[in-house]
Amino acid sequence: MARDNHYAVVVGIDQYPAFLNGKKNLNCPQNDARAVREWLLRPDGGNLPVGPGPDESPNLTLITRDVPQGRNPPRPVVDEILMAIKDTAVRFHNTYNLLDETAQAEIWNSSRLYLYLSGHGIDASGGDAVLLGANTAEGVLLYLSVQGIVNKFTVAKTFRELVVWTDCCRTASAVQIAPAALDLTPQRYDGPGPVQVFFARASRTQQPAYEPPANKLAEMPNSFFTYALLEGLKGGVVGAAQGIRARNLRPYLEVRVPALSQMYYQVNQAPEIAPDDDIEFVPAVAPTRFPMRLKIRAGSPFALPNSVRVFSNVENPAAAIEHPPSNSGPGFFEFNLPNGLYVVTPDVADPNAPAETFFVRGVTFEKEI
Amino acid sequence: MATTQGTLDVLAAISDPGTASLVQAMPPRIQVHDGEFNMVAKGFGTLKREFDPGLYFVRVEVGDKPYEQVVRVPSNGTATVTYPVNTSPRCSSAAVVEGTSSLHEYTSDYTRALSKTKAKLTPGSGARLVVLASRQRPDTAAEIRFNGVRLLDRTGKCIADLSRRSSVEGPTNDNLARGFAAEVNPGGLVLEWKHETMNTYWRQPLWIPQGYVMLVFVTVRPGQTTPDMATASIHLASLSEGFEPRDSHGAAAEAALESLRTGRQLLSETRLAELLQGKFQNPMLGIYGGHMILQSSSLPVSVKIKGLDEVVGNLQSLIPDSPDLAALHLMSSELKDTIAPHQIPCSWPPMIRLGYLAFRNADWDAPGTFIEEGSVADRIRTMLGVAGVWSTWPATDRNNKTEFPAAHSADPMEFVMGQLSDSAKAVFRNVAEDLDPLNHLIIEKHRTVPKLTLSHFAGAGFGEGTADSEASSDLSKINVVVQQTKPNPASFESLAWTGLNKKQAQDVANRLL
């Protein structure tokens, strides 16, 4: 059953025509926003109600350069993002405002607001991530303080859960950051518990967030943070079979995002995440398996047996999870494994058989043993 | 059944004294993750810890690419991870100190010479300023120029134009490094520079103690000819001894500064404590270290207070008049919850932005007590750069040949008003109207009702949360809901973010109404 009390505002800003004559336009935010929307609408993803169109939801507002249609560029600007957030809060508040206390609490307890923002960004004090509007120009920074929005929702308690993902740089800026002009006083709800927040920023304070080089967009269509986020939410996190929660999504992002930025630029993009462990994103999902190839060196003890055993729990050999067929090919074994840490041994009954360790971390991986 | 733990030992592969000193100067950050990728331990240089038996993933930030290894920790045994020490530096800082990519034979000799030799340029005496720009990849070389960089005295008067070739000191290889040096009066100075991408000018306050040489290291990025001044690393050394690039305290100071820059702890608390308890000659180590203590999320308050007291005590004997020391003193008092009016209000901004913010925040409730009215520290309140380690402000009055920033304008508040952005003024107006009992009407969707409209609706007589027919018909055109709000004096506190103090904020609100 769809999660009728989950709402989302999804924003992607890729073009900044007034900023250095468009020389700082981005390639990915539009893709990022669409991909996040796709996950939010998937029954095995965010599971928001779908309709009237197959990629629409009454609970989701997508704002990009060309959605909604018919606006004059540059878009999106900060005012329309704020308006969408406010409208979403009003819409949800209206669903329970006139109900009795018990019904109100029931709806509120199952409520969540997703806020996803991708575009250029700057830094501010207090752990903020500040998104720049598409009409930003040199010397005229038009921005949205995301921490300010989180603070307002935390006070107003309009929703029980707040999931905020920002995929933007947090490099230095030079303006005073005013709080967002968002008044949630009329949408305040005295819920029975505190607001739970999962706020993930793509990079640490004063650090940039990256998207792949333009010539790599075919293989990597999203900004690194968003790519890792969606990969994790779709089953990439370790322990996905037991559910995807803040507690396993966070470490996944902390390991996966730097790995992606290392792969393309040899830089360390480390996300900053303030999780609330009780937030569950997906109840349980089949773990995504990634290709892994073990290449056997000449003379290696792994060359003799016809198969190998792979363990994720070395203290319990009975938990060997793979017996790859001997016909993987001459000189190598291939597997599809969920992300995690593993040890591999020759498939022999010798307790002192050699062992090699490796990890699977979301990409095709080859190791020589 | 209790599981017997095993030991994980992570250490560097030391092959010679050179790699040993590199690891000691800037110990690489080590992280250990469990099978679910949770970070379960971290350390610097070496790490030895007991863990439940199982698989772990060790990551060491060494060189351009981190060293990563999966390791099995056996029950009741030891697993050892030996990471290779890449002789390439681990820190891409501009500072010419051990462990950074800016240190090589040429730049270290040049730095020593500039710091020890009396400069040709002598706009003052008693202290020395050295600005050293260097490239990290000489293969991309082109002549380095200080385009758009000037040195101003504390009144805003230009005392050196660094873009002039005559201001360059020493026998230089202009493609690799370029240095500027001047004998200056102790106290406040301002370095003014141009942000190449944004095409704007910025100012950064310096404060050089009597008898010291201040070294400002900056990087020239690949393909550029002008240094990126925002990357500045600042160090101090005594005039008599000069700066020694291979001194371990310089490397430690740089690691502490890098920690402040990135928000990541790059120096262990134990090592920091060792350094700060000992006698240090580079006072910047104390200043950076003090801020590192304040920012630590793991140290108990009592330990922070003790550490800060030691730092402040040490710095008091080295640089007693420094605004950055005064800021640490204030922040330490706040930690002790014993904040008292500061005896001398700050007139020159601390170099470290967090220090300036401490003064500015304290001054909100006690206007003029912590920041001297009309001083440079007062004038830059609303202009302070929002991020970065250093206090900076945009040089909006650069084309005026007068002293900065509008130091002698007849009406100080006019200057303040001139610095406020339109969005800032809008917030003031909203708060001011909230405070004014006659103007309580606010339209949702974030539009404050224009004054004319307000007076029109005021006569219509509708009550809270509703609108009468006349007003409703008008309002339906713009599809908004009118409600009456109550004055909320508390919302005035929300103006603290502007950087003004309470008295100034009240003044601005009154002028905008």
Side-chain angles (χ1 to χ4, degrees), chain A residues 19-20 24 82-83 86-87 123-125 138-139 143 172-179 181-183 186 204-207 238 247 251-252 255 258 262 266 268 311-312 314-315 339-343 357-361, chain B residues 33-38 53-57 59 61 64-66 68 70-73 75 197-198 202 260-264 353 382-389 419-421 423-424 427 444-447 483 497-498:
Chain A
F19 188 59
L20 299 172
K24 295 285 179 184
L82 276 173
M83 200 77 85
K86 174 75 176 178
D87 284 347
D123 199 14
S125 52
E138 290 109 291
Y143 57 82
S173 88
V175 290
Q176 313 142 4
I177 299 298
L182 178 67
D183 181 12
R204 289 174 185 270
T205 179
Q206 294 180 52
Q207 299 299 309
V238 180
R247 71 169 68 102
Y252 184 76
V255 167
Q262 278 288 342
Q266 294 209 335
N268 201 46
F311 306 92
S312 60
V314 287
E315 300 312 306
N339 282 318
L341 307 182
Y342 297 94
V343 61
T357 54
F358 65 92
F359 58 77
V360 176
R361 198 172 47 174
Chain B
H33 297 259
D34 67 10
E36 293 186 338
F37 294 174
N38 292 298
L55 290 173
Y56 294 85
F57 161 43
R59 187 173 198 268
E61 293 181 8
D64 288 338
K65 194 174 179 188
E68 296 177 334
V70 180
V71 61
R72 176 184 175 177
V73 175
S75 175
T197 314
M198 299 294 281
W202 287 83
L260 297 179
R261 272 200 196 105
T262 61
R264 306 184 73 203
R353 184 174 166 277
T382 61
M383 306 161 72
L384 187 73
V386 78
V389 171
Q419 302 309 315
L420 291 175
S421 64
S423 58
V427 174
E444 282 194 31
K445 301 204 176 187
H446 336 297
R447 294 185 192 188
Q483 61 175 354
W497 67 268
T498 59

Side-chain angles (χ1 to χ4, degrees), chain B residues 31-319:
Chain B
Q31 294 177 339
V32 182
H33 297 259
D34 67 10
E36 293 186 338
F37 294 174
N38 292 298
M39 191 170 72
V40 290
K42 65 179 179 181
F44 296 86
T46 60
L47 183 145
K48 190 168 187 173
R49 198 77 57 87
E50 303 284 306
F51 290 104
D52 287 338
L55 290 173
Y56 294 85
F57 161 43
V58 177
R59 187 173 198 268
V60 186
E61 293 181 8
V62 56
D64 288 338
K65 194 174 179 188
Y67 176 78
E68 296 177 334
Q69 186 181 329
V70 180
V71 61
R72 176 184 175 177
V73 175
S75 175
N76 209 16
T78 299
T80 303
V81 171
T82 308
Y83 62 84
V85 180
N86 192 333
T87 48
S88 70
R90 281 180 300 285
C91 178
S92 60
S93 153
V96 181
V97 298
E98 191 78 69
T100 72
S101 48
S102 299
L103 178 78
H104 37 84
E105 198 176 335
Y106 174 76
T107 50
S108 58
D109 289 348
Y110 191 24
T111 303
R112 267 188 217 103
L114 287 174
S115 72
K116 285 182 179 171
T117 316
K118 188 176 176 185
K120 286 180 286 186
L121 193 65
T122 54
S125 63
R128 186 174 303 143
L129 174 69
V130 170
V131 182
L132 186 86
S134 64
R135 247 180 228 295
Q136 298 187 358
R137 291 183 188 166
D139 54 315
T140 59
E143 188 183 350
I144 295 171
R145 295 172 188 160
F146 282 115
N147 284 348
V149 185
R150 299 193 305 167
L151 182 65
L152 315 176
D153 71 10
R154 59 183 303 143
T155 68
K157 185 182 156 199
C158 176
I159 54 174
D161 184 344
L162 278 68
S163 65
R164 290 189 186 159
R165 182 149 187 94
S166 58
S167 69
V168 178
E169 280 277 345
T172 70
N173 173 349
D174 286 340
N175 292 350
L176 196 57
R178 187 170 226 196
F180 161 86
E183 302 298 307
V184 294
N185 292 329
L189 289 170
V190 167
L191 205 52
E192 181 186 88
W193 40 271
K194 187 180 175 186
H195 191 296
E196 283 296 317
T197 314
M198 299 294 281
N199 201 25
T200 48
Y201 285 88
W202 287 83
R203 286 171 179 160
Q204 176 175 351
L206 306 174
W207 198 91
I208 312 183
Q210 168 92 38
Y212 277 88
V213 52
M214 173 172 281
L215 297 104
V216 179
F217 296 106
V218 286
T219 301
V220 184
R221 296 195 187 280
Q224 304 283 318
T225 56
T226 306
D228 178 359
M229 302 297 285
T231 63
S233 283
I234 298 180
H235 290 257
L236 281 168
S238 77
L239 262 181
S240 55
E241 294 179 22
F243 185 76
E244 174 45 57
R246 296 199 180 271
D247 178 70
S248 64
H249 284 179
E254 197 54 34
L257 175 59
E258 190 69 6
S259 303
L260 297 179
R261 272 200 196 105
T262 61
R264 306 184 73 203
Q265 192 186 323
L266 300 173
L267 201 59
S268 73
E269 275 146 7
T270 318
R271 173 81 176 131
L272 182 65
E274 277 170 20
L275 289 165
L276 297 180
Q277 281 162 11
K279 189 184 172 196
F280 49 86
Q281 295 301 319
N282 180 349
M284 293 312 291
L285 171 60
I287 292 171
Y288 300 147
H291 283 284
M292 255 190 92
I293 291 173
L294 282 159
Q295 286 193 2
S296 167
S297 55
S298 55
L299 288 176
V301 173
S302 58
V303 176
K304 284 187 178 186
I305 289 171
K306 184 170 176 286
L308 276 172
D309 282 348
E310 276 169 341
V311 173
V312 168
N314 276 341
L315 288 175
Q316 192 66 44
S317 62
L318 297 170
I319 49 170

Side-chain angles (χ1 to χ4, degrees), chain B residues 333-497:
Chain B
S333 304
E334 286 173 338
L335 209 56
K336 293 172 188 165
D337 212 12
T338 57
I339 188 160
H342 201 252
Q343 52 279 48
I344 306 170
C346 162
S347 61
W348 190 255
M351 295 190 292
I352 304 280
R353 184 174 166 277
L354 289 170
Y356 177 72
L357 284 177
F359 276 117
R360 206 179 71 171
N361 293 342
D363 204 57
W364 168 258
D365 272 326
T369 308
F370 293 90
I371 294 183
E372 185 182 311
E373 199 177 330
S375 66
V376 171
D378 189 38
R379 305 285 177 140
I380 66 165
R381 284 169 179 280
T382 61
M383 306 161 72
L384 187 73
V386 78
V389 171
W390 307 112
S391 303
T392 56
W393 70 90
T396 50
D397 55 348
R398 188 175 187 272
N399 293 329
N400 303 342
K401 301 282 182 194
T402 57
E403 297 169 341
F404 73 74
H408 298 295
S409 62
D411 180 358
M413 286 313 294
E414 276 302 315
F415 178 78
V416 168
M417 300 283 292
Q419 302 309 315
L420 291 175
S421 64
D422 287 344
S423 58
K425 285 179 182 169
V427 174
F428 271 98
R429 282 197 190 95
N430 282 342
V431 172
E433 281 166 358
D434 260 5
L435 293 170
D436 182 347
L438 296 176
N439 288 326
H440 294 160
L441 290 177
I442 287 182
I443 289 185
E444 282 194 31
K445 301 204 176 187
H446 336 297
R447 294 185 192 188
T448 306
V449 181
K451 285 284 177 61
L452 188 63
T453 322
L454 271 172
S455 55
H456 169 66
F457 288 151
F462 47 85
E464 183 171 350
T466 61
D468 68 8
S469 57
E470 181 190 347
S472 292
S473 63
D474 276 0
L475 291 168
S476 64
K477 293 173 193 162
I478 50 173
N479 189 29
V480 293
V481 179
V482 169
Q483 61 175 354
Q484 193 166 24
T485 61
K486 294 185 174 66
N488 179 14
S491 67
F492 191 67
E493 297 292 328
S494 67
L495 293 178
W497 67 268

